[in-house]
Structures are given as structure tokens and as C-alpha cells.
Amino acid sequence: MFTLMALPYANDALAPIITPNTISFHHGKHHKTYVDNLNNLVKGTEFEGQSLEAIVTATAGKADKAPLFNNAAQIWNHDFYWNSLKPNGGGVPAGKVADAINASFGSFDEFKKQMATTTVGQFGSGWGWLVADAAGKLKVVKTGNAEVPMTQGLKPLLTIDVWEHAYYLDYQNKRADYVNAVIDKLLNWDFAAKNLG
Amino acid sequence: MQANGSAITRRHFLQSAAAGVALAGIGAPAFVRGAAPLAHQPLPYAEGALAPVIGAQTVGIHWGRHHKFYVDNLNKLVIGTPFEGQPLDKIVMGTAGKADQQALFNNAGQIWNHDFYWQSLKPGGGGKPPAKLAKKIDEAFGNFDEFRKQFAAMTVSQFGSGWGWLVADGAGKLKVVKTANAEVPMTQGLKPLVTIDVWEHAYYLDYQNKRADYVNALIDKLLNWEFAEKNLG
């Protein structure tokens, strides 16, 4: 049985950037629906009892497994998203992450610009990501719907959800305002450092 | 509805005419280029007319910002391309499936879809379709309740942003299909009759995660069956 990950903070802790109203629907309804769906879908299949990562990897790119993939990957993405944010986050990272960002993008400002542009540019539902490629170089990428960077051999460090449900109650059509505010005030650079390894 | 249908025909005629003059080349008056921008088609009813099924705030933002954004984007993107001055349906069909024309397609497809969506709805709509269409629905789905069930299920199941459609296939048989993001049924040889927008921006302020409630309410109370029958031809 998969369980809905507990939020790593109170549901009003990200306000005013992301309000408790948004978080309660996003975590309590959308994220939970994916968990409930997956638990129903795996019953009696070879995937029952497997880890979330194993299901995501095994079902990716298989048309006949789309519902399993969509629900498993959306759980994975949301777990990763909540961890990518923290109250009083944002700012400029230090240490190894800062070095990797400067080496890959030239400067933190250039990274910020590319992260915002790529994420805002995801057409339709999806995700913006800071990732490390196989050579350890950092990149920003976007994925559609439930797609995850791991299937492209990329190691995710941080993500920003741009399904409209992530921001519509707070920002409506102003996706760029949401993305910029998340980058500036909520990104959890400690989580990124841990993922960089 | 009738007035709106005429407006579309007139707009496309003017655009086609402008493109024709532009093709004639030498001597084309300067204002022809100015006539080319695609219009943000007016709503066929007041912003509050679909309430309470779709709130006035939702319609205001959906039509006034999302739909308008696609129009503004496309008018910028076509400048200096072979698509400048062409009618919307030509741009949609000319860019569909081409990776290097993705931005043009996404914006043109979304204008086309939204134009079609607003006309697919009307205040006091829903209920049972007129006789000719009702007969086609019975032939294809068995009965209206079965159609309603299939249309709702298909539309609700679109994963991520997209659209639910009632269409006629090449043989004239009715079907329900879904398309993702800006995709349109015409590229699959299907003739659209009515559509339901299931991008979250279409319903999130009113229904949040309850997409099925939005889709069912829209089918029961807002679908414009006269528009669908007109599209059946």
C-alpha cells in the first residue's frame, strides 16, 4: 500500500507565495487521488508490493501501462515537489550546489532566468526541473504531464509544478509570477544539495 | 448564436480576401497587412451568462486573458512567416504535427479550440438535442443516456490539459474523443460538433479538483445543440 506523504511543513507555511487553500487541494485532493488510484491499479498485477520508483521505471513509455505510469509518476513528482520547497527558502545557494550552478550556467542570475523561462514555457500541464546530467553538469528541463527526468538519464535536484492546479487559485493565468516567487522565496537548496550527492 | 456564426464566416472571408489581395502582390494597399491580424472573437453572451455552472470570474479570465493571450502570441509569431495573413484554420492545419512549427500550432490550435468552445456553450443549453442530431446520437451510441455517459467519461479521463469532443468521422458516424493540449480533431479526419475544455483553467476557480462535476454540469446545462447540429451539416 502506498500512503500519501505527509507535508514536510504546515499547510499554511508557504503562504503568501502558495496559500493554505491551494495546498489543501493540491496535497489533500490531487496528490491523494494519485495515491488512491495507484493502490487500486496495482491490485492483482505484477506491480503490487513494488516500490514507487520501480513502478515508474517499469511503466515509463509503455502505452498499455499509461494509467499506472501516470499515477505512479505523479506521486513521485509531488513527493519531490513538496520537498523542493520550504518556508523561507529561495535565496542564493552555498557550497557544492553554488559551485555546480556557477560552473554550468555562469552565474546564479543566469540559472534563475533559465529556470524561470523553461518552467514557464512548459505548454500545458507539467513540471520544470533543475537536473544533473550523467557528466554531473546541471541543466534546466521541462517535462509534460507526469513525465520524470530519470527516464532521460537525468538526476533531478529540484522541481516546480506547473500543472495549473498548483497555482490557479493564487495566480490564475499569471504562471510567471508564481514561478518567480517560488524560485525567489521557496526553493529548498538543502534538498538540492542532498540530491546532488 | 446565429449572429455569432455569421461573424465567424465574415471574419474568415475577410482574412481569405486579404490573403488573396496580398498574393496578388504589386499594388496591394498597405492597409492589407493591417487587416491580417487574427481577431479575438467576442463571447457570444455576457461573461455572467453561464453562471452558476461556469462563474463570471472564470469566463472573464478564461476568455479575457487565456484566450486573448493565444491571439496576441499568434499575431506576433506569424509576422514574417508564410502564415502571415492566412486564416486560422489554414495555420492550424499547416503547422499540425510539425516539430519546428510547435509554437505556431499551439497558439493557433488554442485559438481555434477556444472559439469553438465558447460556441459549444449557451445559457439555458443542455437537455436533449434536436431531432436530426438526436437520431445520429441514437444510431452511434444506442441512446442519449449512453452518449452522455461516454462523453463525460472520455472528457474527464483526458490526462492533463486538453479537450473532450463529440465528432463525426469520415463515414458520418458520431464518436467521442479527447485531444491533449492544443490538438484538434480535424488532423485525424474528424469533424468536431461540440467541445468541452478540460484545461484546469476552464474550471479550477469553480470546481477545483472536481473535474467530473464541471463536465457533467456542462453537458446537462450548457451544451449548445443547435451549434452541434449546424456543424453536422
Side-chain angles (χ1 to χ4, degrees), chain B residues 43-59:
Chain B
L43 275 179
Y45 31 71
E47 286 181 7
L50 306 180
V53 180
I54 305 178
Q57 190 193 6
T58 293
V59 175

Side-chain angles (χ1 to χ4, degrees), chain B:
Chain B
M1 289 315 106
Q2 195 53 48
N4 189 57
S6 306
I8 295 167
T9 307
R10 188 169 64 247
R11 178 165 63 97
H12 282 192
F13 170 76
L14 285 172
Q15 283 161 354
S16 302
V21 172
L23 284 173
I26 304 161
F31 69 79
V32 167
R33 278 180 79 87
L38 293 152
H40 182 205
Q41 187 186 306
L43 275 179
Y45 31 71
E47 286 181 7
L50 306 180
V53 180
I54 305 178
Q57 190 193 6
T58 293
V59 175
I61 296 173
H62 194 178
W63 177 80
R65 299 195 204 158
H66 292 278
H67 189 168
K68 180 175 189 296
F69 180 74
Y70 296 124
V71 175
D72 292 345
N73 280 349
L74 186 63
N75 279 323
K76 283 180 215 150
L77 286 166
V78 293
I79 293 170
T81 75
F83 297 104
E84 191 172 358
Q86 288 204 18
L88 186 61
D89 51 351
K90 288 272 171 26
I91 303 175
V92 170
M93 296 308 280
T95 56
K98 295 183 179 154
D100 61 336
Q101 310 279 4
Q102 187 83 58
L104 276 165
F105 175 78
N106 285 344
N107 286 285
Q110 283 295 81
I111 300 170
W112 198 95
N113 289 340
H114 281 93
D115 287 352
F116 202 82
Y117 172 65
W118 300 121
Q119 296 175 84
S120 293
L121 311 179
K122 70 167 189 178
K128 295 287 160 70
K132 189 176 126 193
L133 182 58
K135 186 162 167 282
K136 300 283 287 182
I137 285 175
D138 290 347
E139 282 168 14
F141 301 96
N143 58 59
F144 183 79
D145 284 347
E146 182 58 27
F147 152 75
R148 190 185 164 286
K149 206 174 90 184
Q150 287 189 33
F151 192 34
M154 178 65 72
T155 303
V156 170
S157 76
Q158 167 55 38
F159 186 74
S161 310
W163 303 81
W165 304 85
L166 173 63
V167 298
D169 70 13
K173 190 180 178 199
L174 303 200
K175 298 167 70 171
V176 292
V177 297
K178 56 190 175 185
T179 64
N181 290 335
E183 297 294 330
V184 298
M186 297 84 82
T187 54
Q188 304 163 46
L190 300 169
K191 186 204 284 187
L193 306 185
V194 284
T195 193
I196 301 178
D197 189 348
V198 284
W199 281 62
E200 288 175 318
H201 65 234
Y203 60 86
Y204 211 78
L205 297 178
D206 299 323
Y207 297 86
Q208 296 83 45
N209 61 304
K210 301 196 190 79
R211 183 190 273 189
D213 289 358
Y214 155 76
V215 168
N216 283 313
L218 195 151
I219 293 174
D220 289 342
K221 308 220 172 117
L222 294 181
L223 278 189
N224 183 345
W225 288 119
E226 289 73 27
F227 179 66
E229 189 164 84
K230 197 184 79 183
N231 291 323
L232 192 57

Side-chain angles (χ1 to χ4, degrees), chain A residues 3 17-18 20 35 45 55 61 66 70 81 85 89 96 114-116 118 123-124 154 165 168 175-176 192 194:
Chain A
T3 52
I17 313 296
I18 304 177
V35 174
T45 74
I55 298 175
N70 286 341
Y81 172 64
L85 312 179
K96 260 175 67 176
Q114 289 187 32
M115 181 77 185
T118 297
F123 186 74
L154 300 169
H165 64 234
Y168 211 77
R175 182 189 274 191
K194 201 185 77 183

Side-chain angles (χ1 to χ4, degrees), chain A residues 77-100:
Chain A
N77 289 339
H78 280 92
D79 288 355
F80 201 83
Y81 172 64
W82 301 122
N83 283 316
S84 292
L85 312 179
K86 69 169 190 177
N88 303 310
V92 181
K96 260 175 67 176
V97 178
D99 295 344

